[in-house]
Amino acid sequence: MKKIKAHWQILGALVLATLTAFLFRKIELGADAGFIAGAVVTCEFVGKDIFMGLLKMIIVPLIVSSVVSGIASLHGMEGFARLLGKTAGFYALTSLFAILVGLGMVNMIKPGLTNGEPNPEIQRAFEEERINASEAALAKVASAQERSLEMGEGAGGFFSMLADFGRRLVPSNVIEAAASNGQMLGLIFFSVLFAIAITQLPKNEGKSLREFFQSLNDVMIVLTKWIMALAPIGVFALLLPVVYKSGGGIFVVLGKYFFTVLASLLFHFAVTMPLVLKFLGRVDPWAHMRAMRTALLTAFSTASSSATLPVTMRCIQDNAGVSKKTASFTLPLGATVNMDGTALYECVAVIFVAQVMGFQIDFGHQFIIVLAALLTSIGVAGIPSASLVAIFIILQNSGIPGAETAIVALLAVDRLLDMSRTAVNVLGDSCAAVVIAKSEGETGILEPKAVEE
Ligand code: ASP
């Protein structure tokens, strides 16, 4: 029997989870809800704890083995410096494009205003959400607030953010860096240094280390394939509780905001990045989407670019045909620092809150928000709802009166937006890998044979 391809299986699971969630909601209205509550909790366990746990479990050895074996195959510092320069330039530029799309949309649609005035219904909804928030939501918001307060206010806040970035880049304890949830910057930095040091060894001495990390990487690939065989179950279990719990008043009141974020993300996904692929990478954007579809669906389902990294690595090498040396540097770094969707989302969310609160945002404010979104998105971890901390920092520094009241409401409608922006984040990383590989003269990228899957 012909095997159904991975992306179809995942897509099927997404559809089935949505239908089942709707069915559960219908049944719950009439019959005993005990069975349904049990099923939802089981799904959360299978999805978040088991499936995402498995993906996260392999991230550390995967990053170390792929970065070390990839960089050690570059010829010395010069090749590395060129790769670093191109990657950083690409990431900064595309994140800026994303923010500008968000800025344009939120100014055009004005989701926080009604007839040019701050929307009182949304103001009320912010207050009500805060009063009725669940313990879990309040705890989440409190921890984000704590993190943002650690950073401090005003220019000092942004400075401590940069200092924090520096601290994470150069960890004093590499094991601790590896253990930090979704923040792999220190581990990548250590692995890069380690790999460059290998290239400095006399040829025979470095050989066994290169072979070791290469084999380790091959083993991680096998593990990734095993875990992905469970993807349909994992994805089903992840999505069902999300759809089941979504809906209700707050989604209706914040509908225009929801639409603005989704429309902006879609524009970046379907217009900006395809144009970048076409004109900068000189590749067929459609072929790229086909090559990356399993990774994009995984990103959407897990809302975590870090947990998706093993799948992104597989798709970019096996389907898109990018070399390991390019993929192993651009993708782990991208999953950690490059977040187009997140940067765009931060910009839309902050300006939306300003509109609701009746705060006049002139050109100077918009410029600062763009800059803040760009900088903070670098520090956001590749895990679900991580941008909340960044939103807190920007709101706290923006001088918008009462802005903090909005956070609980933003969190209440966040999961689907988070899923969507994570897919955009992963797309951005994969585009970087392809464009940079092409610029390095790699051949066979996204050619029909490569996209087979
Ligand atoms: N969930 C996003 C990611 O993993 C980060 C965020 O925007 O919250 O890429």
Side-chain angles (χ1 to χ4, degrees), residues 118-381:
N119 186 322
E121 207 189 337
I122 303 182
Q123 284 175 351
R124 262 198 311 279
F126 281 178
E127 264 310 316
E128 276 165 22
E129 268 312 300
R130 201 159 63 129
I131 294 165
N132 302 327
S134 67
E135 291 276 313
L138 287 177
K140 214 167 182 177
V141 171
S143 97
Q145 187 167 26
E146 202 178 302
R147 279 271 299 135
S148 78
L149 285 174
E150 269 169 27
M151 303 285 173
E153 279 187 44
F158 288 109
F159 179 75
S160 18
M161 232 168 63
L162 285 179
D164 188 53
F165 181 78
R167 263 194 299 277
R168 276 187 287 112
L169 180 68
V170 187
S172 51
N173 180 341
V174 73
I175 306 290
E176 199 176 67
S180 67
N181 194 7
Q183 276 298 1
M184 294 298 148
L185 203 57
L187 191 66
I188 296 172
F189 183 70
F190 175 78
S191 306
V192 166
L193 283 186
F194 189 84
I196 294 175
I198 294 180
T199 65
Q200 306 299 306
L201 294 178
K203 209 162 184 205
N204 277 340
E205 281 179 38
K207 192 165 167 269
S208 53
L209 267 179
R210 277 181 225 252
E211 284 171 356
F212 169 78
F213 281 103
Q214 180 55 52
S215 300
L216 183 61
N217 193 233
D218 293 342
V219 171
M220 300 325 294
I221 293 169
V222 175
L223 286 181
T224 306
K225 285 185 180 151
W226 287 353
I227 297 169
M228 282 316 282
L230 301 175
I233 301 172
V235 163
F236 177 88
L238 280 171
L239 192 71
L240 190 143
V242 174
V243 181
Y244 177 72
K245 290 178 184 168
S246 306
I250 187 74
F251 279 85
V252 178
V253 181
L254 296 192
K256 217 165 156 192
Y257 156 74
F258 208 77
F259 169 78
T260 310
V261 176
L262 284 185
S264 314
L265 288 172
L266 188 68
F267 188 92
H268 189 70
F269 188 97
V271 180
T272 315
M273 292 322 280
L275 287 176
V276 168
L277 284 168
K278 181 132 196 78
F279 293 106
L280 215 58
R282 309 218 164 269
V283 291
D284 174 6
W286 184 238
H288 182 81
M289 298 296 180
R290 282 206 353 250
M292 296 309 298
R293 54 197 165 184
T294 304
L296 296 175
L297 286 170
T298 308
F300 181 76
S301 315
T302 59
S304 167
S305 18
S306 291
T308 310
L309 183 63
V311 191
T312 320
M313 299 278 272
R314 287 304 358 110
C315 288
I316 207 77
Q317 291 178 61
D318 295 353
N319 304 346
V322 170
S323 76
K324 181 167 173 188
K325 73 175 176 14
T326 306
S328 66
F329 179 67
T330 49
L331 293 182
L333 189 69
T336 314
V337 303
N338 179 49
M339 310 230 166
D340 294 359
T342 296
L344 178 157
Y345 164 74
E346 287 178 22
C347 178
V348 174
V350 170
I351 294 184
F352 164 67
V353 174
Q355 290 173 348
V356 175
M357 295 300 169
F359 186 73
Q360 290 300 329
I361 21 175
D362 56 22
F363 182 76
H365 280 116
Q366 306 230 8
F367 180 75
I368 291 178
I369 291 172
V370 167
L371 208 64
L374 194 61
L375 289 177
T376 50
S377 71
I378 297 173
V380 168

